[in-house]
Amino acid sequence: MKEIEILVIGGGPAGLSAAAAAADLGASVLLLERDDKPGGQLVKQTHKFFGSKKQYAGDRGYQIGDFLIEQCENNPKVEVWTETTVLGIYEDGVVTAEGQGKHLKINPEKIIVATGASERMITFPNNDLPGIYGAGAVQTLMNVHGIVPGQRVLMIGAGNIGLIVSYQLMQAGVEIAGIIEASPTIGGYLVHASKIRRAGVPILTSHTIIEAYGKDSVEGAIICKLDDKWQPIPGSKQDLKVDVICLAVGLSPLTELCFQADCQMKYVPELSGHVPIRNKYLETTRLGLYVAGDVSGVEEASSAMVEGRLAGICAASSLGHGNDVTPKLQAEALAELSELRAGPAGQKTVKGIMKLMNKGGAAC
């Protein structure tokens, strides 16, 4: 049985930030990551971040990931186990995991769940053909393994992920036949959409895919225009010859462990699905269990890092570490989150969080 003060589950931007913040206050931390390297989505993000210097503006995602990993590796209070998958969080506080070819038991005093999110899929005829990918899978192929998925791509979804991955595909020499978006407006930042349009790639809003076709793999897709009631407009079908269909249709929080740990959950569309109810310090209704990052509601990586830092500070403080500086650090992190969510893009998240706060939560 491994005894530890704070267990962090997930080594993405939120988990790494949580581990570093808690360790900086003097807590002993164990971070578990199921992949062979921490970093989460950051390891495959080659685009530069926006925001302020505090959120590493101007740095590329993989560079930020390397920095966060170094922060943890250089702190003697942090222990990192890679290729380790958490199996369950039980009533007595014991956490079980599979790793190192063994069934592992860990007994932490506090837990921070930072498991991130999974890609959503959509249903349409032949959506199981080879050549149909999630956008995250395409990023992994290209930016981690150096493999292009195909030669001509239809991108479904004009949020930030769809726009960014489309541009990265173009940088790799792949043709983008078009980007379609079911909503009447583009969901991503204008700066990303402008780069795509300047390259001559059409972005078709109020459009959806009807079906994919091909014998052994994708050979094309039928798309159509939608009316203001989201119904196909007769006579608007187009046949696009493509060998890849990439789905960038959103993410869902990976909350299975929170359900299993008996956290009180609530479905909040603005936060992209079922999320654990928590207070402003990110402690859930299961006392001593905190959440941070996309598992608490899908946002940008910048917000995930700040939430991770806040969860790490609160978990460490609850064990008596850094109480002289905790109020100041908490206030700074909360102010930073408010700043990140201040613009139009953040209003949806703010609305979702308010729904959770009205429901209640635990005390930090």
Side-chain angles (χ1 to χ4, degrees), residues 201-232:
V201 175
I203 302 177
L204 306 175
T205 55
S206 296
H207 277 72
T208 192
I209 184 170
I210 296 177
E211 65 173 309
Y213 63 87
K215 184 179 178 182
D216 298 316
S217 61
V218 170
E219 297 175 12
I222 306 297
I223 66 172
C224 75
K225 187 172 177 61
L226 300 174
D227 62 22
D228 57 4
K229 296 181 180 179
W230 299 70
Q231 297 302 307

Side-chain angles (χ1 to χ4, degrees), residues 145-286:
H145 301 294
I147 299 170
V148 294
Q151 299 303 312
R152 195 165 195 259
V153 176
L154 169 64
M155 179 65 68
I156 301 177
N160 282 326
I161 294 176
L163 296 172
I164 288 169
V165 175
S166 293
Y167 191 72
Q168 291 173 353
L169 282 162
M170 292 163 59
Q171 289 178 308
V174 178
E175 182 183 358
I176 305 298
I179 302 173
I180 62 172
E181 168 60 52
S183 297
T185 57
I186 293 169
Y189 295 143
L190 182 60
V191 64
H192 296 314
S194 297
K195 289 193 296 186
I196 296 293
R197 283 175 165 151
R198 283 198 299 270
V201 175
I203 302 177
L204 306 175
T205 55
S206 296
H207 277 72
T208 192
I209 184 170
I210 296 177
E211 65 173 309
Y213 63 87
K215 184 179 178 182
D216 298 316
S217 61
V218 170
E219 297 175 12
I222 306 297
I223 66 172
C224 75
K225 187 172 177 61
L226 300 174
D227 62 22
D228 57 4
K229 296 181 180 179
W230 299 70
Q231 297 302 307
I233 296 175
S236 66
K237 290 183 180 179
Q238 295 183 54
D239 185 346
L240 298 179
K241 305 297 182 184
V242 295
D243 60 352
V244 172
I245 297 171
C246 185
L247 303 177
V249 292
L251 303 170
S252 296
L254 275 171
T255 53
E256 289 86 351
L257 286 174
C258 296
F259 273 107
Q260 194 264 335
D262 205 27
C263 297
Q264 190 175 352
M265 309 292 289
K266 185 175 182 181
Y267 181 77
V268 183
E270 294 86 353
L271 300 179
S272 300
H274 282 94
V275 292
I277 293 170
R278 72 277 187 176
N279 64 11
K280 69 177 182 177
Y281 299 113
L282 304 177
E283 188 174 19
T284 67
T285 54
R286 173 163 174 161

Side-chain angles (χ1 to χ4, degrees), residues 89-160:
I89 302 171
Y90 298 94
E91 291 180 0
D92 58 1
V94 172
V95 176
T96 62
E98 186 278 323
Q100 307 163 25
K102 300 176 183 177
H103 182 254
L104 307 168
K105 289 185 177 181
I106 305 144
N107 186 27
E109 295 182 52
K110 304 291 177 180
I111 300 170
I112 299 173
V113 177
T115 45
S118 62
E119 291 193 283
R120 290 178 180 168
M121 297 291 113
I122 56 175
T123 57
F124 52 88
N126 299 318
N127 71 342
D128 58 349
L129 277 171
I132 297 177
Y133 297 85
V138 168
Q139 275 193 313
T140 301
L141 275 175
M142 290 197 305
N143 299 342
V144 177
H145 301 294
I147 299 170
V148 294
Q151 299 303 312
R152 195 165 195 259
V153 176
L154 169 64
M155 179 65 68
I156 301 177
N160 282 326

Side-chain angles (χ1 to χ4, degrees), residues 14 57 209 215 305 338 355:
I209 184 170
K215 184 179 178 182
M305 288 184 282
S338 296
K355 287 184 177 181

